[in-house]
Amino acid sequence: MSTNQQGISKTAAIVSVAAIAIAAVVYFGARYSVEDHQASGAMTKAAREIGEQVTSADVKLGDEAISKVMQTDVYKLLISDTAFAEAMQNDAFREALANDRLRSAMSDSALREALNSEAFREALNSS
């Protein structure tokens, strides 16, 4: 059988299946048609409860400090830094960050200035 004849036979098979499907739909549609009194309920308009509009007084926001931190460039740098991710996996490092004395010390502006000074960096690099 040539490829042209194969194409024609495939087309004939598809047309035959489509004709049988159409005939089945017409047959069962005419034989089992739904009368008007049987076709109610599903085609009606949906009844929806309409409530009051939500206002800003209805929305209660909690502490927004975390969301503000997450919007900073520093946060973006930290979450993409693999060294920071590794440090956060260390239990001792996490315990140190949770220490109240360390937090108190880090909030002292004099200590922060000292840590950011060039002399402190040089001292760390020389050891």
Side-chain angles (χ1 to χ4, degrees):
M1 206 184 242
S2 70
T3 44
N4 189 23
Q5 289 175 339
Q6 287 177 346
I8 292 173
S9 64
K10 284 182 182 180
T11 305
I14 292 171
V15 169
S16 299
V17 169
I20 292 171
I22 291 171
V25 169
V26 169
Y27 172 76
F28 288 110
R31 185 172 177 128
Y32 301 106
S33 63
V34 178
E35 296 178 18
D36 288 341
H37 72 278
Q38 294 174 322
S40 63
M43 303 305 266
T44 62
K45 184 176 180 181
R48 293 184 175 88
E49 181 180 337
I50 299 174
E52 296 179 22
Q53 183 71 29
V54 176
T55 65
S56 59
D58 297 328
V59 179
K60 306 287 187 233
L61 297 177
D63 185 13
E64 296 180 30
I66 292 175
S67 64
K68 287 181 181 178
V69 167
M70 291 177 72
Q71 295 172 13
T72 63
D73 292 335
V74 173
Y75 178 79
K76 291 175 186 173
L77 288 172
L78 285 176
I79 63 169
S80 62
D81 187 9
T82 56
F84 180 73
E86 290 173 6
M88 290 306 292
Q89 296 296 321
N90 185 320
D91 292 334
F93 182 73
R94 284 195 316 255
E95 288 174 12
L97 289 177
N99 187 313
D100 290 333
R101 288 182 183 168
L102 177 65
R103 280 195 243 168
S104 175
M106 293 305 288
S107 65
D108 183 19
S109 61
L111 177 63
R112 282 193 311 240
E113 287 177 20
L115 292 174
N116 287 326
S117 71
E118 187 66 34
F120 183 75
R121 285 191 207 122
E122 288 176 9
L124 285 178
N125 289 332
S126 66
S127 53

